[in-house]
Amino acid sequence: MPEHATSARLQLSGFCFLLQILTIILFAVFVRYSPESSPRLCSQQLNCSWRNQDSSFQHPRFQGVHHLQALLGFGLLVAFLGRYGSGSVANSILILAFSVQWGILIQGFLYSFLNGKIYVGAQSMVSADFCTTAILISTGAVLGRVNSVQKLLLTLLGVLLFTLNQYILLSLLGVRDSGGSLIVHTFGAYFGLMVSRLLHQPQVEKRKEQQERGQQPEIFAVVGTLYLWIFWPNFTSATTAHANTEPWAVLNTYFSLAASTLATFVLSPLLYEESTLQMVQIQDATLASVAMMGMAGEMLLTPFGALIAGFLAGLIPPLGFRFFTPILSSRLKIQDTCGVHNVHGVPGILGAMLGSLLSMLATADAYGGRLELIFPLVAEGNRTAPTQALCQLCALLITLLLATLGGCLTGAILRTKGLRSPPDTRYLENRVLWEV
């Protein structure tokens, strides 16, 4: 085994040990289970939609958001690149394992810190999974250019920045983003892209050459895509007011998924010479549609509106990979390994704009009793619908600013001499965690 690979294994082992001991100590000092059905501990970030759900723990919903969507869905999706596949799956599990613990702590200090303790329940776990999803998106932009220790540091800083952005948007501005168009997809994409810009390596090949898809990575992509198709509506509706706005979020997401998939079959054969559509292209369309629907899903979009939004979202990845990705790489020096800009970034921005438009049209006549659940400030008369829409739009600018500045800071830290990987990082990623 090469000397640098042995050193990387030992460095990773020691760093994981330190992080786990730190989180155990912090959990022992601060974290406690929340009393069942305690209104006092309902955070403004969640708009009290989970106030009475800890007693049942929403086990099927928690499984859909956490075990199946976050772990299997994203864990298998990053494996579509043959060169990084096995190591990427292991790294995704590593990131999820640490991010959930760290996210509960950081978010707990802001949202459920009472009498010197952090009270956790079902909502804490799902909120931490939202954070983890954003970090997994970010790591997709730097895949192959960072080692496992750097990924853990990216997670450490990314969770802090994610929580700060989430707090500003959802608690201070009163923005609605139940499915995470802004806080998950947009932030995760552009935070990762700015880290990638700071870690630019001219010798890394282009995305098309990196894929080297074989039978096993293609199967990974198939299974990951199916899991996202089945369980992402649970993710989109996880923070909605159940039995009220939840059906809108679920149905709008399904309509969007269907239309985006058809859009891929419409456009990809015109842009690429391959006679058979690649599974990764359907995978990209799936993710783009849910990024588009994250904010608007719980709003009064109507079925045909969801189909239109999904169809437009499905056009973005093939057009982006064909025309915009080469510009990112050649002119802006941003190497986007998994294409998060086309799959999460642009659809997330468009989803935020769509949500802002729908916020402007929110009225009591259209929403009825649901207006209080989706836009409580508007329903209470403390904010007009145009003001709510302006806040939704300002949230997009704040997210892009924090993601850009935070990504630059994180990238500068990760490129320090002691953390840099050897030139063949793309092989090291598999050697450290997986025998290939």
Side-chain angles (χ1 to χ4, degrees):
M1 180 179 295
E3 182 179 351
H4 60 75
T6 303
S7 175
R9 285 178 180 272
L10 295 176
Q11 188 180 34
L12 174 62
S13 176
F15 194 51
C16 286
F17 178 78
L18 291 176
L19 289 177
Q20 188 59 75
I21 293 300
L22 173 64
T23 54
I24 288 174
I25 293 173
L26 292 175
F27 266 68
V29 175
F30 294 107
V31 179
R32 300 292 184 272
Y33 287 121
S34 61
E36 293 183 356
S37 305
S38 175
R40 297 179 299 112
L41 302 177
C42 178
S43 69
Q44 185 178 355
Q45 177 256 331
L46 298 173
N47 292 306
C48 298
S49 60
W50 285 328
R51 174 178 291 163
N52 297 316
Q53 295 180 30
D54 274 354
S55 58
S56 62
F57 196 64
Q58 292 290 308
H59 184 63
R61 179 174 305 277
F62 175 73
Q63 281 188 327
V65 173
H66 176 71
H67 294 102
L68 297 173
Q69 187 274 331
L71 184 57
L72 285 175
F74 266 95
L76 293 174
L77 284 177
V78 296
F80 77 90
L81 297 177
R83 179 174 292 173
Y84 311 127
S86 302
S88 298
V89 175
N91 271 284
S92 296
I93 297 173
L94 173 65
I95 292 169
L96 185 145
F98 173 63
S99 180
V100 166
Q101 299 177 62
W102 188 237
I104 285 176
L105 283 168
I106 301 303
Q107 293 176 333
F109 282 117
L110 284 177
Y111 298 124
S112 56
F113 192 67
L114 184 65
N115 298 327
K117 302 297 180 183
I118 296 173
Y119 291 92
V120 301
Q123 71 269 38
S124 306
M125 295 298 297
V126 177
S127 185
D129 283 324
F130 270 58
C131 178
T132 299
T133 302
I135 301 303
L136 288 172
I137 292 171
S138 300
T139 57
V142 297
L143 185 64
R145 294 187 304 283
V146 292
N147 56 39
S148 300
V149 171
Q150 288 174 307
K151 284 187 177 182
L152 286 172
L153 282 173
L154 184 150
T155 302
L156 187 74
L157 298 172
V159 168
L160 291 170
L161 293 165
F162 171 91
T163 306
L164 175 62
N165 182 61
Q166 182 186 51
Y167 182 76
I168 294 174
L169 268 55
L170 305 187
S171 292
L172 300 184
L173 292 181
V175 170
R176 289 297 304 183
D177 190 20
S178 64
S181 285
L182 280 179
I183 61 175
V184 175
H185 297 279
T186 303
F187 176 85
Y190 290 100
F191 174 70
L193 288 172
M194 293 313 300
V195 175
S196 178
R197 176 62 183 88
L198 269 292
L199 299 177
H200 176 70
Q201 294 180 0
Q203 70 273 20
V204 175
E205 297 124 334
K206 296 179 181 179
R207 180 180 189 263
K208 184 176 181 181
E209 296 170 348
Q210 287 175 332
Q211 291 179 0
E212 298 178 358
R213 300 190 197 95
Q215 182 179 5
Q216 186 179 16
E218 191 71 12
I219 293 174
F220 282 157
V222 170
V223 177
T225 303
L226 290 177
Y227 271 114
L228 290 183
W229 246 94
I230 296 170
F231 293 103
W232 199 287
N234 279 354
F235 185 90
T236 305
S237 63
T239 62
T240 58
H242 303 314
N244 290 284
T245 59
E246 179 185 5
W248 285 359
V250 172
L251 293 174
N252 284 334
T253 302
Y254 272 123
F255 289 138
S256 177
L257 284 169
S260 67
T261 301
L262 283 179
T264 302
F265 279 88
V266 169
L267 193 56
S268 293
L270 302 178
L271 296 177
Y272 300 99
E273 298 178 357
E274 295 89 347
S275 58
T276 304
L277 196 70
Q278 298 291 338
M279 191 64 197
V280 67
Q281 294 168 335
I282 303 175
Q283 163 190 309
D284 292 340
T286 301
L287 290 169
S289 66
V290 295
M292 173 81 85
M293 202 53 54
M295 179 181 289
E298 67 173 349
M299 301 178 187
L300 189 57
L301 183 58
T302 72
F304 79 89
L307 290 174
I308 293 173
F311 187 81
L312 294 176
L315 299 176
I316 295 172
L319 289 173
F321 286 122
R322 181 68 175 83
F323 299 108
F324 202 75
T325 296
I327 298 176
L328 280 179
S329 179
S330 61
R331 297 186 182 181
L332 301 180
K333 307 301 180 184
I334 297 177
Q335 296 162 320
D336 185 6
T337 310
C338 289
V340 299
H341 177 263
N342 306 314
V343 177
H344 299 278
V346 176
I349 291 176
L350 295 179
M353 292 181 177
L354 176 61
S356 300
L357 175 62
L358 294 174
S359 301
M360 186 179 296
L361 303 176
T363 62
D365 292 336
Y367 282 78
R370 300 187 184 192
L371 183 65
E372 183 179 358
L373 299 172
I374 301 176
F375 301 110
L377 295 177
V378 176
E380 295 166 2
N382 297 325
R383 179 180 290 178
T384 63
T387 303
Q388 179 69 38
L390 182 61
C391 290
Q392 303 279 139
L393 202 57
C394 288
L396 172 60
L397 301 178
I398 294 172
T399 298
L400 292 174
L401 179 63
L402 282 176
T404 301
L405 295 179
C408 290
L409 173 63
T410 303
I413 293 174
L414 296 186
R415 67 183 297 180
T416 55
K417 186 175 181 180
L419 295 173
R420 287 179 186 171
S421 299
D424 60 338
T425 302
R426 57 190 182 275
Y427 302 107
L428 179 63
E429 176 154 359
N430 273 336
R431 285 177 181 172
V432 171
L433 289 177
W434 209 275
E435 292 295 332
V436 180

